[in-house]
Amino acid sequence: ASNGADTGNNDENESDTNGEEDSEYSSAEASYVIEAGIGLNNQHPQYEGLLRFKELVEEGTDGDVYVETYHSSQLGDDRQMMEALQLGSQEVTIPSTAPVTNFVEEYAILDFPFLFPNEEVAMDVLNGEMGDELLASLEDQEMVGLAWWENGYRDLTNSVQPVATADDFQGLTLRTMENEVHLAAFSELGANPTPMAFGELFTAMQQGTVDGQENPLATIYLEGYYEVQDHYSNTNHVYSPFVFLMSKQFYDGLPEDYQQLVRDAAQEAGEFQIEENRNQNEELLDALVEEGVEYTEVTDEARQEMADIVQPVNDRFAQEMDQDFVDRFYDAIENSEYN
Ligand code: TK8
């Protein structure tokens, strides 16, 4: 079920839908074929990371495992791709963690606004015991979590007004990810949140169904949102991890040495993806402004006010979760050497 036709914004390479690019190997000669799909387009560092994974796996198995790569929701949106992993009809996807909450409740904690003080702390916690626990909890859902990748801090764009302070959220209709924490947090700020799959977002902004959205700068620029948005604010309101998921059915069917190899490849490709992603998230502001988007800087004070307003949302969701898990998670942040 491909809905790629809806998501054709800013894809410079629309025709490469079969994932056969730049490979000396072929699916016909492989014992195992991995269909890997993401929601972002092929300009995003996440796709570069996926191509790195492909290279590592194919070279490491001398073509016995072949990876077909798909982008721009060609294989479906995040939720549909995870369902395909559960059924064993797709092998890999790398969603933001927000929609994973619909499968494993504890993932909600990752999307608490203003939770991680910086990217290093986030990655430290995710690569430690708490992250391992979250990856392991996917197995009941017929998925295997192989590695943490990074989407980054999310910022706000809209087509109505500059947003400098919490007050400026009033009345804005904002697309959010399909995640209860995000819905509650943006309601608390006075916006009208509308949950929607990522692949439908560009058209929704273009047609004015929503006034704005929130995503890291790399996504905002590389998906061409400047064509349909006038204002950008560095709200940095939530840190968004990506999680590298494999179908458990497929993983269980791999020989042990291949299981280790795909694990290592996901980790190594992730380190590359994270570095590229951070560079782009840092560097693309000027390019965005050059495209005519007005940049409104959010001061630390204004950001603190936003954090104070949404804190009751974090507290409410934390209360509904396993207390021991929440306590240990907060401790891990507190005790991170990068804090
Ligand atoms: C891509 C999504 C996207 C996320 C969103 O599949 O939905 O806004 O940030 O990157 O996972």
Side-chain angles (χ1 to χ4, degrees), residues 14-66:
E14 273 292 355
S15 62
D16 97 50
T17 57
N18 61 3
E20 300 271 339
E21 75 267 28
D22 297 335
S23 181
E24 54 182 293
Y25 304 105
S26 81
S27 52
E29 286 160 54
S31 307
Y32 303 93
V33 176
I34 293 176
E35 270 195 317
I38 60 170
L40 287 155
N41 70 21
N42 60 359
Q43 305 302 303
H44 195 279
Q46 195 190 36
Y47 192 68
E48 286 178 58
L50 182 54
L51 290 179
R52 179 62 65 92
F53 172 78
K54 170 184 171 69
E55 194 182 294
L56 290 167
V57 168
E58 290 175 359
E59 277 172 13
T61 62
D62 197 22
D64 198 32
V65 181
Y66 184 79

Side-chain angles (χ1 to χ4, degrees), residues 316-331:
R316 186 151 49 80
F317 278 91
Q319 263 166 27
E320 287 166 15
M321 286 180 199
D322 180 73
Q323 276 320 293
D324 176 58
F325 172 81
V326 173
D327 291 345
R328 286 185 299 118
F329 201 95
Y330 284 151
D331 283 350

Side-chain angles (χ1 to χ4, degrees), residues 258-278:
Y258 283 4
Q259 289 181 345
Q260 190 58 46
L261 194 136
V262 293
R263 240 173 226 289
D264 294 346
Q267 183 64 33
E268 187 180 333
E271 281 158 24
F272 167 76
Q273 183 273 332
I274 289 167
E275 200 183 315
E276 285 296 296
N277 210 62
R278 287 184 188 174

Side-chain angles (χ1 to χ4, degrees), residues 38-40 78 95-96 151 154 175 177 198 214-216 219 242:
I38 60 170
L40 287 155
D78 286 341
S96 295
N151 197 354
R154 303 178 77 88
R175 176 270 177 174
M177 294 186 285
F198 182 72
E214 44 84 47
N215 253 297
T219 298
F242 286 136

